[in-house]
Amino acid sequence: MNDDVRNIVLGVLAAGISAALGWLGRTHLWRRGLRRRQAFFGLPTHAQCLLVVNRDAAREGAVHRFDVFALLELASLIKDCGAHAQIIQHDLAQQGFGERTEFCLGGPYSNRRMAAHLVSLLPGVTMNVDAEPGPDRGAFQIGSERYRLENGVVEYVLLARVAPAPDSRPVFLFCGQSAITNQAATRYLARNAEKLARKHGNGSFCLLLKVVNSHAYGPDVVELVADVTRAAQQPAPPVRTSHRAAG
């Protein structure tokens, strides 16, 4: 074998080894990222989870189209983890929590299970569900702070991950003042899942998000107002004078 042939063979071998090492490195990083996502969502491969859907307030038995879009966002997350979902209406989900991951969608006005979760898991959060129009209709009360709804202009949504016990599966709550905010929260989770997993690990958190000018921008312009975990998990204190939160 002359020098030219030997150099060609060595070059091919080096390229093959480099490609194999690169593939192994990418595979390792992908698997590590997958394990982190699975741990964050409580969804190991082939796990079963629960999608609890609310109803459209204007049509009995129907699901609002923005909530359908939110379900699609969640279904993609679940599929990426290699898990499977069961979709069930809020008034039929008569079972406990912690045995399998749950994604609960919608405010307490349209989702009985969400109303129960707020009382049991986030006692520092209440939502005004009065049917009569008024300035506080749909407003969040989180601790001593009140966040009012301005339909289509400023709307709020809670995104929470609650782990009832160290060895239990988490409950994810998407509790919005309108259907489009529920979709905004699921999209925010999808885009920031890795960042949230790094920051919070497998622990509980409750974030207050603000959806800006949904009439123009839909669910895409979302701002993090505050991490309200501590206030949400403590019993509600006396109410202070209501105000609009600064952006």
Side-chain angles (χ1 to χ4, degrees), residues 62 86 161:
Q86 176 189 0
R161 180 192 192 276

Side-chain angles (χ1 to χ4, degrees), residues 22-207:
W23 179 82
L24 289 172
R26 289 191 298 271
T27 300
H28 173 72
L29 291 175
W30 177 81
R31 287 179 176 172
R32 187 171 67 178
L34 175 60
R35 288 193 295 269
R36 186 186 299 119
R37 289 195 302 273
Q38 289 177 326
F40 176 71
F41 289 112
L43 293 174
T45 304
H46 303 309
Q48 297 290 332
C49 67
L50 198 64
L51 282 172
V52 181
V53 299
N54 62 347
R55 60 175 176 80
D56 188 337
R59 292 177 294 174
E60 185 65 32
V63 178
H64 196 285
R65 64 188 181 94
F66 290 123
D67 289 327
V68 173
F69 297 152
L71 291 174
L72 292 175
E73 300 268 5
L74 295 174
S76 179
L77 290 176
I78 294 165
K79 182 179 179 181
D80 286 345
C81 291
H84 309 284
Q86 176 189 0
I87 301 177
I88 188 168
Q89 289 186 329
H90 69 103
D91 51 352
L92 299 178
Q94 297 175 342
Q95 54 190 278
F97 51 82
E99 292 187 3
R100 52 179 171 168
T101 296
E102 176 181 337
F103 300 89
C104 191
L105 188 71
Y109 51 87
S110 62
N111 187 323
R112 295 179 190 172
R113 191 165 175 87
M114 178 65 75
H117 283 332
L118 292 183
V119 172
S120 300
L121 304 176
L122 300 176
V125 176
T126 58
M127 189 174 187
N128 188 310
V129 295
D130 290 344
E132 296 298 323
D136 289 331
R137 183 182 181 185
F140 279 121
Q141 187 74 38
I142 305 174
S144 61
E145 304 294 330
R146 183 172 296 167
Y147 301 88
R148 286 175 170 170
L149 164 69
E150 295 181 43
N151 192 32
V153 180
V154 175
E155 298 156 292
Y156 295 96
V157 56
L158 284 176
L159 167 60
R161 180 192 192 276
V162 184
D167 59 345
S168 65
R169 297 288 172 84
V171 178
F172 286 87
L173 304 179
F174 309 88
C175 180
Q177 293 178 327
S178 63
I180 199 167
T181 63
N182 298 331
Q183 184 189 0
T186 59
R187 184 165 294 182
Y188 183 92
L189 177 64
R191 291 175 175 175
N192 296 278
E194 186 171 344
K195 178 180 177 182
L196 292 171
R198 287 198 303 267
K199 181 175 182 179
H200 301 282
N202 298 332
S204 299
F205 64 82
C206 182
L207 306 179

